[in-house]
Amino acid sequence: MAIDTPAAELLVAGKTPVSDGVVTLTLTRPDGGRLPDWAPGAHLDLVLPNGLTRQYSLCGDRWDARSYRIGVLREPAGRGGSAFVHDELEIGDVVGLGGPRNNFRLVPAERYLFVAGGIGITPLLPMIAQAEMLGTAWRLLYGGRTRSSMAFLDELGAYGDKVTLRPQDEHGLLDLDAWLPASPGGTRVYCCGPGALLDAVERRCAGWPPGRLRTERFVAPAQDGTTAGTSFEVELRRSGRTLTVTRDQSLLRALGDAGVPVLSSCRQGLCGTCETTVLDGVPDHRDSLLDETERAAGDCMFVCVSRSSGPRLVLDL
């Protein structure tokens, strides 16, 4: 998967195992200079020396202006990115950077409940640090296959009983009914982890007001077979052009075929790179980023996966 924009270069300044199957990378500018600022929930595109691009959540100290930290899980069934990081990437190598960008922002709340599964702990670490710094009440429910596979336990140990660890081989699946009340009250829940965990949390919180649950997925959810596209027209307001998107084309591909550049990376509706402003029409949102309120607003869409609910869209392109 190639990223459609030139990336800045970063130096791999550190590589550290933090659990069975997880390493962290410390990334700096080759000249030691300042890196772009970021906020909890942000991720970056890592362009590897073998040409692959992967998205990773920033999980270090947001106040450290000269280094980034990411955590990388070895995925035996993956497409080669994590294997390259674990087996071939070395300290001193140079990688490309896209971003950072943030579609999983921490918003103010009376209290937070963080729910992590496996490597899903990575975007939550800076959120926990932020809540702690602000003096906001929070708890973390963290599950994994085994205790030895769960990363960052030493760091989390500093937070005492605010952190509940539930390795599956010791406790079974996470008891979501005990942790997620029928009504959220003043709590906001942030959840990241495997698709099965996110699906279960979303079902448990289905009756909650919009915005009380925020999730981030690493893999797009399976489609249910009802998402076959129909053709539609797209007016590009700034360029004064109108395109037809056929039923077997993505909007992103139609734009690219017409010579209209739109930055993209994941092409699964996960990373947010291809966000585009909608001026008129009703998008058919198929991403894993927007919440229900944002979908209802209809003023933006991710053109890599989303389409039109009607015969015509007008985009700010």
Side-chain angles (χ1 to χ4, degrees):
M1 167 172 44
I3 189 168
D4 297 337
T5 180
E9 289 190 340
L10 294 181
L11 184 71
V12 179
K15 181 177 179 181
T16 306
V18 290
S19 71
D20 292 347
V22 177
V23 297
T24 60
L25 299 181
T26 301
L27 306 170
T28 63
R29 279 178 41 168
D31 63 2
R34 185 183 182 94
L35 292 164
D37 294 337
W38 59 280
H43 69 266
L44 53 78
D45 300 297
L46 195 68
V47 187
L48 298 170
N50 64 356
L52 295 175
T53 297
R54 295 293 183 264
Q55 291 77 41
Y56 296 105
S57 296
L58 286 162
C59 63
D61 178 3
R62 64 171 298 201
W63 305 111
D64 180 353
R66 299 183 185 278
S67 72
Y68 290 154
R69 185 179 72 165
I70 60 173
V72 181
L73 169 69
R74 178 190 290 276
E75 300 183 72
R79 294 169 294 165
S82 68
F84 183 90
V85 169
H86 277 256
D87 298 336
E88 301 186 49
L89 194 67
E90 297 181 351
I91 294 173
D93 286 347
V94 173
V95 296
L97 166 71
R101 59 182 58 87
N102 199 337
N103 298 103
F104 193 43
R105 296 184 183 278
L106 186 70
V107 300
E110 293 179 28
R111 68 190 72 86
Y112 298 104
L113 172 61
F114 301 108
V115 181
I119 196 63
I121 189 62
T122 51
L124 303 183
L125 288 174
M127 295 185 181
I128 289 169
Q130 181 84 353
E132 186 75 2
M133 182 186 71
L134 295 174
T136 306
W138 64 271
R139 294 184 300 161
L140 168 67
L141 175 62
Y142 180 15
R145 292 179 292 102
T146 63
R147 192 173 295 268
S148 64
S149 73
M150 297 167 67
F152 307 108
L153 296 191
D154 289 345
E155 291 182 30
L156 292 169
Y159 296 119
D161 61 6
K162 295 180 182 180
V163 174
T164 299
L165 305 178
R166 286 292 182 268
Q168 186 175 346
D169 63 338
E170 299 176 24
H171 301 277
L173 297 176
L174 297 180
D175 186 358
L176 298 179
D177 288 339
W179 281 79
L180 298 170
S183 172
T187 301
R188 290 187 185 271
V189 176
Y190 283 78
C191 179
C192 186
L197 171 62
L198 271 62
D199 291 343
V201 170
E202 288 174 350
R203 287 193 299 269
R204 185 65 185 79
C205 301
W208 286 17
R212 287 293 169 179
L213 169 67
R214 292 300 303 267
T215 61
E216 182 171 64
R217 292 179 180 269
F218 296 131
V219 178
Q223 301 294 341
D224 60 7
T226 64
T227 58
T230 57
S231 62
F232 59 96
E233 287 191 342
V234 178
E235 177 188 337
L236 309 180
R237 180 63 54 84
R238 277 188 281 155
S239 58
R241 301 177 61 186
T242 298
L243 310 177
T244 297
V245 182
T246 63
R247 59 172 293 128
D248 59 348
Q249 276 183 310
S250 69
L251 177 49
L252 179 66
R253 179 172 179 180
L255 292 168
D257 289 348
V260 180
V262 176
L263 300 182
S264 68
S265 179
C266 74
R267 301 179 186 245
Q268 300 180 74
L270 293 169
C271 73
T273 307
C274 66
E275 181 175 359
T276 302
T277 298
V278 178
L279 301 176
D280 196 16
V282 180
D284 174 11
H285 295 293
R286 303 184 181 190
D287 62 90
S288 299
L289 292 163
L290 299 177
D291 63 26
E292 292 306 312
T293 300
E294 293 164 333
R295 289 170 183 256
D299 56 4
C300 71
M301 66 187 300
F302 299 98
V303 297
C304 64
V305 292
S306 297
R307 301 180 67 81
S308 177
S309 294
R312 186 177 179 85
L313 278 177
V314 182
L315 301 181
D316 186 24
L317 291 173

